[in-house]
Amino acid sequence: MFGVEPERVEAPVGANRLQRALAATPMALQELPDPGFLLPDWVVCRPLLTGICGSDSKQVFFDFSEDDPESTINPMIDFVSFPQVLGHEVVAEVAALGPEAEGLDIGQRMVLNPWLSCGPRGVSPVCPACEAGDLSLCWNFLAPPIAPGIHSGTSADATGGFATLMPAHDSMLFPVPDAVSDEAAVLADPFSVSLHSVVRHPPPPSGRVLVYGAGALGSAAVAALRVLHPDVEIGVVARFKAQASLARALGAHQVFAHAPVEALIEEAAAWSGGVLRGAHGLPMAFPGGIDVVYDTVSHRDTLEVSCRLLTARGTIVKSGVHGPTPWEWTPLYFKEISWVGSNAFGIETVEGRRQHAIAHYLDLVLDGRVDLTPMLTHLRPLEDWRGAFDVLADQAASGAIKVAFDQRT
């Protein structure tokens, strides 16, 4: 549970910033009452695999801003409640059915759509965002009787998958086909996040894109781009060796090291056909040769480098979550660049078919068009939650990309 008295432990000698934060994080493994049905059409599930999302890691490590370590408060604090049982990337079995739950059977294997939107909260009529299928933009994330929370794991009532039991609304669960493994199903959420980015902000035909960051969202973005836009050239900026290797295996045409930044700009400009200008500070490609940057990091460097490499009227799609940071954004104005947010997922139109992003992912896996299972690098029992986060705190040494809790024993 997160938001409790921390079980302070000694950080190892030579620990990095994230490992030191992990040693003092306000989270502990606790015995809690079994969850009940939050409303009559809710069910109780037994998690099998639960992935650690990047947002979970940010929270546990208090990794909000390297420039201002005290910057831990942002407007989203009003949309959550504490204490929380984290975990929203969940494959689970249905354990108990509420009296009004429909379409589910005990023992059925499901993947979680975590949004605590109008339907799960019993709000009727639903808000315009939910009516349009934009579940992550729901107007009613604060609506009672369920405690505030945008998705499972951020509400004190709708506890998440870092537990042996978890509540969910019947509409939040998608059946997992027998041919889809637990390991593939648990990656539905990160793929759906990146699918939303690509579908809502697609590259032009035969264009060039840069995926900034090669963790879970970056890897999923490469997979989505390859399957939906096979004519597009994909460059990837990777921080760690394991990430770079996976990016190549997923079909990236070029992989760049994230540092030094000057070399990154020069190499990416040469790859994309951009012409470098300027001898004062970092160079800028003008005209640039990259049409879209899918920024899964959203740090100062990623934003500034993206602006310097993009073509005029190119687009930065921000799906990464990081704290506020100063950066030189003059190229944003000069090139008339669009900087747009991309918030998770909902109902998406892919190849002419409109359905939930998770349903698209399961179809693509069944058809053999997407295989992200090499991204799942580490499985840990729930009891070893510190060890699971520790491998994420030192990805250079561990090679971790996606880490999940294995609760199948």
Side-chain angles (χ1 to χ4, degrees):
M1 178 168 281
F2 185 89
V4 298
E5 186 67 24
E7 297 178 342
R8 293 185 179 273
V9 299
E10 288 293 325
V13 176
N16 64 31
R17 175 177 59 89
L18 300 182
Q19 290 169 320
R20 292 193 299 272
L22 177 61
T25 195
M27 190 159 79
L29 193 64
Q30 296 185 344
E31 289 287 340
L32 300 174
D34 289 349
F37 309 123
L38 300 188
L39 289 170
D41 52 356
W42 279 60
V43 306
V44 174
C45 297
R46 182 175 296 107
L48 302 173
L49 286 181
T50 302
I52 299 176
C53 178
S55 62
D56 297 327
S57 297
K58 289 281 183 184
Q59 188 167 328
V60 169
F61 296 139
F62 282 88
D63 183 26
F64 301 104
S65 174
E66 295 174 30
D67 304 299
D68 181 7
E70 301 302 317
S71 177
T72 60
I73 302 299
N74 68 44
M76 293 308 299
I77 195 70
D78 296 319
F79 289 81
V80 301
S81 50
F82 296 93
Q84 306 165 336
V85 176
L86 300 176
H88 57 272
E89 299 179 358
V90 188
V91 180
E93 289 179 344
V94 178
L97 297 172
E100 297 179 15
E102 297 180 349
L104 303 172
D105 296 314
I106 299 294
Q108 193 172 9
R109 194 167 54 116
M110 316 295 292
V111 64
L112 178 70
N113 162 44
W115 293 103
L116 298 173
S117 50
C118 289
R121 290 181 176 275
V123 175
S124 182
V126 300
C127 72
C130 287
E131 180 69 28
D134 295 326
L135 305 181
S136 61
L137 300 179
C138 175
W139 295 11
N140 291 304
F141 288 136
L142 306 181
I146 298 170
I150 59 174
H151 56 62
S152 298
T154 65
S155 165
D157 292 335
T159 50
F162 293 5
T164 54
L165 293 172
M166 177 193 74
H169 187 253
D170 58 12
S171 70
M172 295 166 65
L173 298 170
F174 286 80
V176 180
D178 291 342
V180 177
S181 68
D182 296 338
E183 288 79 3
V186 78
L187 302 174
D189 186 291
F191 181 85
S192 295
V193 172
S194 291
L195 178 71
H196 179 82
S197 295
V198 171
V199 169
R200 300 301 177 102
H201 307 284
S206 302
R208 280 191 176 87
V209 303
L210 186 69
V211 176
Y212 217 129
L217 293 187
S219 299
V222 174
L225 287 161
R226 289 298 291 148
V227 73
L228 299 181
H229 300 279
D231 61 326
V232 167
E233 289 280 318
I234 305 170
V236 175
V237 181
R239 185 173 184 180
F240 303 112
K241 181 179 179 181
Q243 294 177 341
S245 296
L246 180 59
R248 294 186 184 96
L250 290 171
H253 298 92
Q254 190 75 30
V255 178
F256 308 100
H258 80 292
V261 171
E262 293 84 352
L264 166 59
I265 293 174
E266 291 172 1
E267 292 169 12
W271 164 73
S272 62
V275 179
L276 288 181
R277 312 283 185 178
H280 300 88
L282 294 178
M284 179 172 69
F286 189 78
I290 292 174
D291 300 292
V292 185
V293 174
Y294 298 96
D295 184 357
T296 69
V297 181
S298 295
H299 185 266
R300 174 176 55 206
D301 289 347
T302 70
L303 294 166
E304 185 166 347
V305 170
S306 296
C307 274
R308 290 174 181 270
L309 288 171
L310 276 163
T311 188
R313 296 183 178 163
T315 302
I316 303 175
V317 183
K318 172 184 163 58
S319 60
V321 178
H322 197 73
T325 180
W327 56 287
E328 173 49 74
W329 59 7
T330 303
L332 188 77
Y333 143 78
F334 177 64
K335 295 186 182 183
E336 299 189 358
I337 288 168
S338 296
W339 182 23
V340 297
S342 181
N343 177 20
F345 52 85
I347 308 299
E348 314 292 345
T349 300
V350 176
E351 298 177 332
R353 187 176 184 188
R354 183 170 170 78
Q355 61 180 1
H356 196 278
I358 287 176
H360 283 301
Y361 171 73
L362 294 172
D363 286 345
L364 290 168
V365 172
L366 271 178
D367 292 343
R369 299 176 68 191
V370 168
D371 180 11
L372 281 175
T373 53
M375 187 171 86
L376 185 60
T377 55
H378 292 72
L379 297 177
R380 292 288 187 272
L382 193 60
E383 294 77 12
D384 187 26
W385 67 270
R386 286 190 184 275
F389 279 95
D390 187 67
V391 298
L392 287 168
D394 191 6
Q395 291 174 268
S398 69
I401 299 177
K402 174 59 69 178
V403 179
F405 290 115
D406 191 344
Q407 299 140 278
R408 293 176 290 188
T409 56

